[in-house]
Amino acid sequence: MSTLIYGATVVAGDTIMEPGAVLLRGGRIEALLDRWEQPGEAFPGEAIDARGCVVMPGLINGHTHGVTPGALFPSAAHSLSRDRWMGHLDRHLLAGTTTVLSLCGLGAMADVREADRHHAVHVRGATTHLPLALQAAQASDGHGLTRAARELSVERMLEDGAVAIGELGGGQTLGGGGQDLIYIPEAIAKRTGIRVSSSQARRLKEAVLGRFIQTGALDERRLSDLAGETGLAGALPLGELAALIADTVLPSMEPALGAIRDGVRTALKLGVPAIVHSASATANVMRELMDETPSKGAQLIAAHANHPSHTPQEAYELAMRGKDKGWAAEACVFDLLHRRHTVQTREHWDRLLSEPDLVSVLATDYGKDGEHDELISAVQDVFNQGHRSLAGAVAMATTEVARLIPGIAPDCSKLRAGGAADIVVASAADFRDVKFVFVDGQCVVRNGELTEEAHR
Ligand SMILES: [Zn+2]
């Protein structure tokens, strides 16, 4: 059975075929064509008229969470239900992502293989099975840790198929967004019965620990104002409120920072990629590691270099310093383009992406409850804003990811004759309008809806 996708703008590596066609057969790309015959009745397969569309390789997302069973996030929170992690994979696939790297890091490869087996998206795994990362997880949460996962090591995980070390650090263990969303509101509700929002939690945290999450940064006046605003003033004395927040955030900080150091050194020793959580709370450690261990052999990646806990200037300077030392930078779309639940500004995004060759790859991270913006909308934005050419923007979510993380998608990051047929057909006007997705030549999204082949 053959499939001919014709009439589209085809992104084949650095070459744009406009219009072009792609012929699929036996799960592979048989040919890329700049001339083809209008298929008639005799064509032995399906012909897709893709005029008005862009055809690109299935996207590769090197930074996801919540796409497998097993411990969630660097805090090793309780695993998501099967419906939820399958649902997250559905969302990735419907938006043209055909390969994801789970950066939850403290699960087992059996969890990754289970997701990979049951969903058309290729699911790859990473590891942070380091003693200090486990300690940080247990200090902040740890409820999703299994005994088997606790006994694993980075080396064992790599032997078992993990393709990177990461995510080293995270908002949950480093006083970031994960604390604001989950742990601080939970601790306050448990003590007082009052539920604060994530933005209130963030402001309370910054009043107690400052933006760089340190002791000695308490701003009593600000804390008192916020306690009034949130109704906490009558519920517990200010000193206890400050202690409650500090005791929620701080215990995982030191081990999590130590795990970043250990993880990067291990990556350099073993020659595997490492993905490090970039945020204001990790800026000092990252600077120290960039200076101490210029990337040689291993690919060191600063995750979400555009993290909004940095100021735009701090984000820029840290990414530039990384670039000098051979680190790569990833820009995360979070939900800054469309949904804007967690990130309301695109200033950091544009600042970093407008600098030529500073950011190598794009990713999504998780957003609020997995409601990140689509990776494909990030590709389109980078192109529309003029930060990159179309081929350059697509490369940031395909070939560049595969180059930095060699095990993630060795065969399917580029459209080429003889290559694997992971292919996206999306409206040229709005890439989020994904019409068709093929994985290994099988149609898994048709007219914007999952087919039966999407789940296995
Ligand atoms: Zn992160």
Side-chain angles (χ1 to χ4, degrees):
M1 162 89 171
S2 304
T3 306
L4 179 70
I5 305 164
Y6 67 92
T9 300
V10 177
V11 183
D14 296 334
T15 312
I16 305 281
M17 300 160 71
E18 199 159 25
V22 185
L23 180 62
L24 315 182
R25 196 181 318 233
R28 316 292 293 181
I29 297 176
E30 175 138 312
L32 300 176
L33 310 164
D34 55 11
R35 249 172 253 246
W36 63 95
E37 297 225 341
Q38 200 74 7
E41 298 270 301
F43 182 72
E46 181 178 16
I48 295 172
D49 179 349
R51 281 174 291 181
C53 290
V54 177
V55 174
M56 61 181 84
L59 301 187
I60 304 170
N61 191 337
H63 190 159
T64 69
H65 296 282
V67 290
T68 66
L72 180 69
F73 302 136
S75 55
H78 207 283
S79 163
L80 293 178
S81 67
R82 181 188 163 91
D83 280 356
R84 292 222 31 223
W85 60 258
M86 285 288 279
H88 290 330
L89 288 171
D90 288 348
R91 293 190 62 232
H92 284 295
L93 188 61
L94 283 164
T97 295
T98 52
T99 302
V100 296
L101 177 58
S102 164
L103 286 190
C104 285
L106 285 171
M109 283 307 292
D111 302 322
V112 173
R113 279 191 290 270
E114 187 178 337
D116 188 48
R117 197 165 49 237
H118 290 289
H119 204 284
V121 171
H122 306 296
V123 184
R124 304 287 178 248
T127 168
T128 54
H129 295 81
L130 299 152
L132 287 174
L134 280 166
Q135 198 182 316
Q138 281 165 314
S140 59
D141 190 323
H143 292 100
L145 278 174
T146 60
R147 188 188 302 170
R150 238 181 293 228
E151 284 165 6
L152 284 165
S153 63
V154 164
E155 287 83 355
R156 293 250 322 267
M157 285 287 288
L158 292 169
E159 276 165 27
D160 200 15
V163 298
I165 296 176
E167 183 178 5
L168 291 164
Q172 302 79 17
T173 54
L174 285 162
Q179 281 286 347
D180 307 339
L181 270 168
I182 304 168
Y183 300 115
I184 294 170
E186 265 175 17
I188 290 175
K190 199 167 152 204
R191 175 77 77 85
T192 65
I194 295 169
R195 190 94 208 167
V196 299
S197 70
S198 63
S199 90
Q200 288 169 331
R202 179 177 52 77
R203 286 182 290 142
L204 285 162
K205 176 191 76 188
E206 289 182 0
V208 177
L209 298 166
R211 201 162 58 79
F212 295 95
I213 319 296
Q214 292 160 330
T215 49
L218 176 65
D219 181 338
E220 281 184 44
R221 174 106 167 261
R222 198 165 158 218
L223 182 63
S224 161
D225 290 348
L226 282 165
E229 181 192 315
T230 50
L232 290 166
L236 78 175
L238 276 192
E240 283 184 34
L241 177 59
L244 177 67
I245 290 167
D247 289 346
T248 304
V249 173
L250 291 178
S252 56
M253 290 279 300
E254 276 310 308
L257 293 171
I260 292 177
R261 293 188 182 93
D262 290 351
V264 166
R265 288 168 190 152
T266 305
L268 288 166
K269 192 175 81 188
L270 301 177
V272 296
I275 297 124
V276 181
H277 175 87
S278 172
S280 55
T282 60
N284 279 335
V285 167
M286 290 185 70
R287 270 193 290 270
E288 171 199 315
L289 286 167
M290 284 167 178
D291 291 350
E292 168 199 314
T293 55
S295 176
K296 30 179 196 308
Q299 297 290 353
L300 303 177
I301 304 168
H304 41 65
N306 59 316
H307 199 277
S309 63
H310 298 297
T311 65
Q313 183 63 16
E314 286 166 358
Y316 175 80
E317 282 172 12
L318 187 60
M320 286 299 275
R321 188 185 195 113
K323 187 183 166 191
D324 273 354
K325 305 287 182 178
W327 285 53
E330 162 212 290
C332 255
V333 66
F334 300 115
D335 54 6
L336 66 89
L337 296 179
H338 302 289
R339 292 171 178 78
R340 299 189 155 213
H341 295 300
T342 56
V343 182
Q344 279 91 31
T345 171
R346 52 176 296 151
E347 211 182 325
H348 306 66
W349 174 260
D350 286 322
R351 181 80 202 272
L352 266 58
L353 283 162
S354 62
E355 176 79 25
D357 300 325
L358 179 55
V359 175
S360 298
V361 291
L362 305 174
T364 61
D365 205 344
Y366 191 64
K368 181 171 180 276
D369 298 326
E371 291 278 313
H372 52 80
D373 287 340
E374 296 79 2
L375 181 58
I376 203 164
S377 68
V379 169
Q380 184 165 36
D381 185 75
V382 167
F383 168 54
N384 283 353
Q385 298 292 323
H387 296 321
R388 299 289 189 281
S389 66
L390 177 58
V394 169
M396 294 177 90
T398 53
T399 45
E400 279 298 294
V401 190
R403 182 180 67 79
L404 289 181
I405 307 171
I408 195 171
D411 185 34
C412 49
S413 67
K414 192 166 163 180
L415 300 186
R416 59 175 181 84
D422 289 4
I423 293 174
V424 183
V425 181
S427 161
D430 183 351
F431 290 7
R432 286 179 296 165
D433 181 6
V434 169
K435 313 277 190 196
F436 289 85
V437 180
F438 293 83
V439 172
D440 294 325
Q442 264 198 336
C443 184
V444 290
V445 174
R446 175 180 294 280
N447 299 321
E449 289 182 16
L450 296 175
T451 66
E452 270 178 20
E453 281 72 28
H455 294 180
R456 285 143 186 192

